[in-house]
Amino acid sequence: MSPMTTRPATSADTADSSFDDLLPDRWREGDNCRSVVATDSSGRVLGHCRGIDNSFHPDSRSLVLEVAEEAEEARGEHSWAEIADALLEAQIEVSRLPLRLKPATHETELLELCARHGGVLVQLMPPWRYVVDEAMRTWAAAHRTTPDGLHATPIDDARREEMLDLYVEHYTAQHARWSPAAAPAELRAENAPDFAPGGDGSFDPDRSVVLLRDGAIAAQALAWPPEPDGGIEISMESRPHEGPTAREDMEACLAAVIDRSADEDVLLIDSHVTETLESAMMRDVPGPPPHPEDTWTAIVGIPVPGGPTPIPLPAAQIPLDAVPLAERLRG
């Protein structure tokens, strides 16, 4: 078998049209912004990976990994696993923080890669695709008003700063137990452009809603720009996080979003298994049978020498239908 080596990616490598997201090493300032390629004896690029400093979660890095298509002329004698192993090992060597991946149940190769490199299961996310249909509209009709008679309303631009405050507050509480977030001031600065009117990544003001109680925002549902497949991510926040009215408040917000959606719209609503209130809420939202690839997704931390240890998800919090995924990560 011809030898395979890894090296820092160069600007010349980025011209390779075989890869969608290949950037040169140290593509921006910072010692930790590393990009690596794997090459064969002829210098052909077989794959690349990049560790991305996570401004939202400073104790981990997100990993982008891409291996050449299965065609023999693209990979030569090397398997996906061999190339991925070499890339991950190279990235571990230059990283000071755990690397984070999100393999879904159907992504067998990625799950096996995590298992081979001591991946720690830190979180589980259930299927998140909800298709608007008559059953969802019936659910919305039953949940659009809270027990104390409130309902969600369109956003008011004058409240965008308050909406940003709630987003940061909820996000911080939501991740505190398993992936501590950056300081609130940093999160606020990172997210501020998304809450400015007309921003490229801003939520859709026509589909997003807030619920007011005693003159302040108690909950909100934000509809973000469509994903490449047309799905629309919906994020929901409440104050206080997991408070006594949080579920009913978020249900009223989600009901309002459904009312503003067309039949067959795909709403992407993620939740974490550790978020018991939100997970229970989403289990009650009806929908058609899930897409074959809409399965449980794991959040996995790959340890690196000298870096902080990823916080494992307690075994007692793994639902029965996610146990097979968790077991595959154990190897």
Side-chain angles (χ1 to χ4, degrees), residues 74-140:
R75 260 186 224 171
E77 302 169 312
H78 302 285
S79 68
W80 189 97
E82 291 169 329
I83 299 169
D85 281 340
L87 288 168
L88 182 51
E89 288 163 8
Q91 192 61 243
I92 289 172
E93 187 174 341
V94 298
S95 291
R96 301 189 300 271
L97 294 170
L99 299 163
R100 187 161 288 180
L101 297 90
K102 293 184 178 181
T105 301
H106 66 279
E107 295 178 301
T108 302
E109 290 178 320
L110 199 54
L111 287 166
E112 292 174 349
L113 174 69
C114 291
R116 288 195 299 273
H117 292 271
V120 176
L121 176 63
V122 298
Q123 188 58 266
L124 284 165
M125 302 164 64
W128 72 326
R129 297 175 67 87
Y130 294 81
V131 180
V132 177
D133 60 5
E134 191 58 36
M136 281 193 75
R137 294 198 184 283
T138 299
W139 179 91

Side-chain angles (χ1 to χ4, degrees), residues 10-288:
T10 67
S11 296
D13 295 325
T14 65
D16 191 332
S17 60
S18 303
F19 302 101
D20 297 329
D21 197 23
L22 203 170
L23 295 179
D25 192 40
R26 302 188 190 279
W27 70 94
R28 65 183 182 196
E29 289 187 32
D31 292 339
N32 217 26
C33 298
R34 307 303 303 271
S35 178
V36 178
V37 294
T39 63
D40 63 13
S41 57
S42 71
R44 175 179 52 179
V45 176
L46 304 174
H48 73 96
C49 72
R50 185 168 75 254
I52 303 174
D53 293 330
N54 194 330
S55 56
F56 288 78
H57 301 279
D59 286 341
S60 66
R61 309 183 73 208
S62 300
L63 182 72
V64 170
L65 185 145
E66 187 178 12
V67 173
E69 294 295 331
E70 195 169 355
E72 184 176 348
E73 59 270 19
R75 260 186 224 171
E77 302 169 312
H78 302 285
S79 68
W80 189 97
E82 291 169 329
I83 299 169
D85 281 340
L87 288 168
L88 182 51
E89 288 163 8
Q91 192 61 243
I92 289 172
E93 187 174 341
V94 298
S95 291
R96 301 189 300 271
L97 294 170
L99 299 163
R100 187 161 288 180
L101 297 90
K102 293 184 178 181
T105 301
H106 66 279
E107 295 178 301
T108 302
E109 290 178 320
L110 199 54
L111 287 166
E112 292 174 349
L113 174 69
C114 291
R116 288 195 299 273
H117 292 271
V120 176
L121 176 63
V122 298
Q123 188 58 266
L124 284 165
M125 302 164 64
W128 72 326
R129 297 175 67 87
Y130 294 81
V131 180
V132 177
D133 60 5
E134 191 58 36
M136 281 193 75
R137 294 198 184 283
T138 299
W139 179 91
H143 292 84
R144 62 172 63 105
T145 303
T146 66
D148 56 344
L150 304 178
H151 59 274
T153 60
I155 69 165
D156 177 348
D157 281 348
R159 290 188 177 271
R160 284 179 179 263
E161 291 295 314
E162 186 182 356
M163 294 172 69
L164 174 56
D165 288 339
L166 173 54
Y167 183 91
V168 169
E169 179 185 317
H170 185 98
Y171 192 93
T172 299
Q174 184 181 48
H175 293 87
R177 287 172 284 190
W178 61 278
S179 183
E186 294 178 39
L187 288 178
R188 204 176 194 286
E190 287 287 337
N191 287 282
D194 292 339
F195 285 77
D200 289 341
S202 180
F203 55 83
D204 181 347
D206 295 325
R207 299 183 72 162
S208 301
V209 297
V210 297
L211 185 139
L212 303 178
R213 179 175 285 109
D214 299 326
I217 299 177
Q220 62 192 17
L222 308 178
W224 299 96
E227 298 292 319
D229 64 0
I232 300 169
E233 182 175 355
I234 308 297
S235 64
M236 291 178 287
E237 293 86 41
S238 63
R239 177 182 288 137
H241 174 253
E242 296 194 337
T245 67
R247 174 168 175 168
E248 291 83 1
D249 293 348
M250 289 192 293
E251 285 174 336
C253 289
L254 178 57
V257 170
I258 294 170
D259 288 341
R260 288 163 170 74
S261 301
D263 288 345
E264 305 301 322
D265 276 359
V266 176
L267 306 182
L268 307 175
I269 309 170
D270 68 0
S271 61
H272 304 126
V273 74
T274 55
E275 297 290 297
T276 53
L277 182 149
E278 192 168 334
S279 292
M281 166 184 159
M282 294 314 302
R283 280 195 299 271
D284 286 347
V285 177

